[in-house]
Amino acid sequence: MAKLKFTKTALLGLKPPETGKRLAVYDTEVPKLAMRITSAGSRTFYVVKRAGASIAWVKLGTFPEMTVEQARGEAQKILGEFASGANPAAARRAIRQEPTFTEMLADMLAHKKKRDGSPITERTKKDYLDTSRLHMGGIANSKLSHITRSEVKAIHTKASKKSARQADKAVAIISSVFNYAADHEHFSGTNPASRIQKNAVVSRDRFAQAAELPYLLEAIGESSLSDFFLLSLLTGARRSNVQAMTWRDLDLDSRIWRIGMTKNGTPQNVTLPREAVAALHARKRTTGTSQFVFPGEGKTGHLVEPKKAWAAILRRASLRRLLGHLESLGKLTAEERKQADHQITSAPAAAEKRYRSIADALEIDPALYDMTDLRIHDLRRTLGSWQAKTGASMAIIGKSLNHKSLQSTAVYARLDLDPVRQSVETATQAMLEAGGVKQPADVMNLLAKRKTTK
C-alpha cells in the first residue's frame, strides 16, 4: 500500500499505471483518504473504510478540481459520520445534501434576525451580496465542508490590497454564514474564518474645521439637497436616519425628532436646534403630501443616494477655498476672482481643472484647500467634535449621537435631554458662527441660495 503526504505537486507527479490497471495511494495526514489513478490519468479522491466484512470506497471528487485541503476536510466529515454509526451511503448522501456557501448565505439573509428580532434590512442584504460577489467567487459554489481556512485567508489577503475594511468585512460575513449554518445544524465542522487576524485600521477622526466651514456652508446652500446636508450637520444623525425622516416623527414645537430604530438597535430622541427647526418649517411647504421629509422616486419613497450632490458640494467648497488662497497670494485680481466664481457655478469641471493646475504649478499643498476627503458621515462627527471643542462631556456627546458601549450605556440612560440640548445648541452656534451664519434667518438665506443659483 503506497503512502505519501498529499500535495498538489506530489499528486500531479504520480505516473498513471499500465493499461487496464489502477493505482491507489494513501495520504499520510488522513490515513483513510486515498486517491485512485486510472491508466487514462484520471485522479479521484476516496475515503476507504471497512464496513463489516467489506471495504467501502466512498467517492469524494476528482483531482485537481477538488483540492487536497477540500478532500481532507470532506474525508474527516465522512469519517465522523462513520464513527457515529452511519453507513457509507448515508454518509455520502449527507455530504451531497450539504449546502454551498452561496446557498447558505441566501438562507441566512432570508431568515436571520437582528438582536431586536427585526429582519435584516434590504440595505444590509445588498451590502452582503455585493461583498460576496466582489471577494468570494472562489468559494461561492463550494460545499461548506470543502471551504478551508487557507482559502479564507487568501480572500482576506487579496481584498486587503484594495481595502483593509472590505477585507475584514468579507471575513466577518464568511464567519457569520458558518455560525448561522452551525446554529441551524447545516454544518458541524470548524469555522474556517475564525481567528483570522484583522487589518490594523486607524480610526477616522476627520471633521469640518473652522477654516473650512464658511466654504462648506456656502456650497451646501447652493445644493438642491441643502436641507438634507444642513440637517445632517445640525443634528449629527446618521445618514440613513436623515434620509428616512418622516413628518410624523417630528415635534417641531418641542424641537424633538423621534427615531424609532437606529443602527445600534435602540430608539433615539434627537434634539433639534432652532436653525434645524427653521429649515424644517420651510421644507414642510415644499414636500407636498409625502410622509417623508426628503421624498424620493424609488421603492423606499425617500431619498436614497446623495453621494453625487455631496461630491459637487465638496468640489465647489474646495475650489472657492483655493481661490481665496490664490487671491491672498496676489495671484488673482478682484475681476479674475469674480470670473472664477462664475465659472465654478457654470462649468465646475473646467474650473476645477484650470485652478488645480495653477495650484500645482505654484506648488501649493492641496491640504491647504482640498476638502474632498470629507465624507457625509463626517458631518455627524463634526457635531460631536464641536461639542467637545465647546466643553461638552463625553457622556453628553454619546447621548446626543446615540453612541452605545457597555461602559457608558448606564450613564447615558440617566441623562435627560436638557444638558444635551444645551450642548448641541452651543456646538451649533459655534459651527454656524465659524461659517459666517449667526441667526435662524441667516439659515433661511443660506437655503434660499439654491433657488437662485444656476
Side-chain angles (χ1 to χ4, degrees), residues 273-285:
R274 298 181 188 281
E275 292 78 8
V277 172
L280 286 165
H281 274 304
R283 183 159 190 83
K284 181 66 174 175
R285 296 189 288 270

Side-chain angles (χ1 to χ4, degrees), residues 345-380:
T345 302
S346 60
E352 182 176 37
K353 182 177 180 180
R354 177 181 180 182
Y355 292 103
R356 279 186 180 270
S357 65
I358 292 174
D360 291 342
L362 294 173
E363 297 183 349
I364 297 174
D365 185 352
L368 294 174
Y369 65 86
D370 196 340
M371 297 164 56
T372 55
D373 64 326
L374 271 171
R375 302 173 185 171
I376 297 175
H377 189 76
D378 293 336
L379 295 176
R380 173 174 166 82

Side-chain angles (χ1 to χ4, degrees), residues 22 68 72 104 114 131 138-139 149 160 220 229 232 237 263 269 282 296 326 328 336 340 355 378-379 396 402 417:
R22 292 182 299 188
V68 172
R72 284 177 178 150
M104 200 73 259
K114 295 191 292 185
T131 302
I139 64 171
R149 181 177 173 81
S160 294
I220 285 176
F229 293 114
S232 296
K263 182 179 179 181
N269 283 334
L326 291 173
S328 68
E336 289 171 334
Y355 292 103
D378 293 336
L379 295 176
I396 291 291
N402 199 36
L417 285 179

Side-chain angles (χ1 to χ4, degrees), residues 16-296:
E18 299 175 5
T19 302
K21 293 186 177 181
R22 292 182 299 188
L23 171 66
V25 292
Y26 291 80
D27 184 25
T28 57
E29 296 288 310
V30 180
K32 299 296 190 293
L33 175 62
M35 172 178 280
R36 272 181 174 172
I37 306 175
T38 68
S39 58
S42 67
R43 292 164 164 80
T44 307
F45 288 114
Y46 290 86
V47 166
V48 185
K49 186 75 171 63
R50 180 174 294 279
S54 62
I55 300 294
W57 286 72
V58 182
K59 184 178 178 180
L60 303 181
T62 58
F63 175 81
E65 289 77 17
M66 174 179 278
T67 67
V68 172
E69 292 79 6
Q70 290 171 345
R72 284 177 178 150
E74 188 164 339
Q76 294 283 21
K77 188 176 181 70
I78 290 182
L79 290 170
E81 295 286 344
F82 275 125
S84 66
N87 61 47
R92 190 69 192 97
R93 189 161 53 250
I95 296 300
R96 286 200 305 269
Q97 293 173 350
E98 184 179 79
T100 65
F101 178 83
T102 296
E103 290 169 343
M104 200 73 259
L105 173 62
D107 189 82
M108 183 184 79
L109 295 180
H111 300 107
K112 186 177 180 180
K113 304 293 185 182
K114 295 191 292 185
R115 293 176 183 175
D116 62 353
S118 62
I120 297 174
T121 65
E122 292 302 318
R123 179 180 176 184
T124 297
K125 290 179 182 179
K126 183 178 184 303
D127 186 36
Y128 275 38
L129 291 173
D130 287 345
T131 302
S132 176
R133 176 177 51 79
L134 288 172
H135 303 297
M136 303 170 205
I139 64 171
N141 297 316
S142 297
K143 299 287 188 179
L144 295 181
S145 61
H146 289 184
I147 299 171
T148 65
R149 181 177 173 81
S150 61
E151 287 179 300
V152 180
K153 290 181 70 175
I155 289 171
H156 186 258
T157 299
K158 182 178 180 181
S160 294
K161 294 177 181 179
K162 293 185 177 181
S163 169
R165 290 186 181 275
Q166 278 290 310
D168 290 346
K169 181 194 291 185
V171 171
I173 291 173
I174 295 172
S175 183
S176 294
V177 169
F178 275 89
N179 288 337
Y180 176 84
D183 290 344
H184 291 78
E185 300 182 356
H186 296 297
F187 177 74
S188 59
T190 301
N191 188 331
S194 64
R195 301 188 308 279
I196 289 180
Q197 185 67 46
K198 292 184 178 180
N199 291 299
V201 179
V202 179
S203 297
R204 185 173 173 84
D205 60 1
R206 183 74 164 93
F207 69 96
Q209 305 290 328
E212 297 173 319
L213 280 170
Y215 304 100
L216 180 63
L217 288 173
E218 182 178 8
I220 285 176
E222 295 171 344
S223 171
S224 61
L225 293 180
S226 57
D227 301 3
F228 172 80
F229 293 114
L230 186 65
L231 286 168
S232 296
L233 176 64
L234 298 181
T235 64
R238 294 179 177 89
R239 183 182 73 175
S240 59
N241 292 132
V242 180
Q243 288 172 180
M245 180 189 291
T246 63
W247 291 111
R248 68 182 178 187
D249 292 331
L250 292 167
D251 184 345
L252 298 184
D253 292 332
S254 299
R255 294 191 284 132
I256 295 293
W257 168 28
R258 171 72 174 178
I259 302 177
M261 187 58 62
T262 61
K263 182 179 179 181
N264 64 23
T266 62
Q268 180 186 7
N269 283 334
V270 179
T271 181
L272 298 172
R274 298 181 188 281
E275 292 78 8
V277 172
L280 286 165
H281 274 304
R283 183 159 190 83
K284 181 66 174 175
R285 296 189 288 270
T286 66
T287 55
T289 59
S290 174
Q291 64 170 315
F292 295 106
V293 177
F294 301 101

